[in-house]
Amino acid sequence: MDIEKYLQLSAAQHSHLCPRQVLGVRMALAGIQALGLDVPPPRRRLLVISETDGCFCDGLIAVTACTVGHRNLRVVDYGKVAATFVDVETELAIRLAPQRDARQRAHRYAPEEPKAYSAQLIGYGRMPAEELFTFQEIQLHPNVSTLLSRPGIRVNCDRCGEEIINERQVLLAGKVLCRACAGEAYYAPVEPVALSTLFVPSQTLTVVNNGGA
Ligand SMILES: [Zn+2]
Ligand SMILES: [Zn+2]
């Protein structure tokens, strides 16, 4: 399979080519094939869940054209160079991860490369997909329709009042809560918050106001 054009596309987004982008390109191609779909897959047919952000994602995006903006690329940050490819129509979901010894094996496929980095860069491109990745059929939690949700649904959190879209609210003790208020927050507020220290000095604001008057 001609991976060169995808590597070029990925590198153009990324300003360099690195082994993780090669893994992303190879994994996307292998994942789409494992689902029995063509490359590129039919529009709105594929959902990709990446288990890390960074260079690897650019490789995935180069092949799949899935993006966060189109809601067909999700990042669940486990810090793993792994991804699940989902056929939205059949709900078949296959998770791919690098074989444990993929780094070492890459050297065998690029014996002319003395450095580990370049051996991986070249070797990952040459290795057969079955030697490079593990393939596992999985069941998604939550399922595809919950992940995709429906447009136009909005509720407000009973605690913080902020709006929640895509049915991401949680029901807790009879209350509709956002995930943050339900105890799943990735942040904690810093108190007390002196707003004046967060924004531009009031003197600057005065100048801007005068200018606009
Ligand atoms: Zn990189
Ligand atoms: Zn809330």
Side-chain angles (χ1 to χ4, degrees):
M1 184 167 298
D2 178 30
I3 66 165
E4 208 50 48
K5 67 171 178 177
Y6 298 114
L7 292 178
Q8 276 174 20
L9 200 61
S10 181
Q13 294 295 317
H14 204 75
S15 79
H16 66 270
L17 187 65
C18 61
R20 283 194 189 143
Q21 283 174 76
V22 183
L23 284 176
V25 164
R26 292 296 315 274
M27 196 180 283
L29 290 168
I32 293 167
Q33 277 190 323
L35 290 175
L37 298 175
D38 293 327
V39 181
R43 252 172 77 81
R44 303 219 178 104
R45 188 79 188 263
L46 183 69
L47 171 68
V48 180
I49 303 163
S50 175
E51 296 183 18
T52 184
D53 54 10
C55 315
F56 170 65
C57 276
D58 282 343
L60 294 176
I61 292 166
V63 175
T64 63
C66 290
T67 64
V68 172
H70 287 108
R71 302 192 67 240
N72 50 13
L73 172 66
R74 308 295 167 91
V75 176
V76 180
D77 197 356
Y78 291 176
K80 290 185 181 183
V81 177
T84 291
F85 300 83
V86 187
D87 182 341
V88 170
E89 227 166 86
T90 63
E91 301 206 2
L92 177 62
I94 300 178
R95 182 180 180 271
L96 277 69
Q99 299 260 8
R100 269 189 176 209
D101 59 350
R103 273 200 191 97
Q104 290 75 40
R105 284 195 207 193
H107 290 250
R108 276 181 251 148
Y109 284 86
E112 76 281 13
E113 299 291 340
K115 288 188 182 153
Y117 184 90
S118 38
Q120 285 157 29
L121 192 70
I122 305 298
Y124 288 158
R126 292 177 181 165
M127 287 166 70
E130 317 80 67
E131 257 191 78
L132 189 52
F133 303 124
T134 60
F135 294 74
Q136 186 181 31
E137 188 178 335
I138 58 156
Q139 188 124 42
L140 287 173
H141 299 300
N143 64 16
V144 175
S145 54
T146 306
L147 269 178
L148 296 179
S149 185
R150 292 163 292 156
I153 299 174
R154 305 179 188 129
V155 293
N156 286 81
C157 174
D158 282 338
R159 191 167 293 163
C160 70
E162 290 178 0
E163 187 177 272
I164 309 157
I165 59 171
N166 294 328
E167 302 174 287
R168 296 306 188 244
Q169 65 272 20
V170 178
L171 266 176
L172 207 66
K175 287 199 183 299
V176 174
L177 299 177
C178 70
R179 287 178 60 182
C181 290
E184 299 175 33
Y186 69 91
Y187 60 87
V190 177
E191 301 203 63
V193 183
L195 283 181
S196 57
T197 63
L198 295 178
F199 296 106
V200 285
S202 53
Q203 212 179 352
T204 318
L205 282 175
T206 311
V207 171
V208 170
N209 286 344
N210 286 347

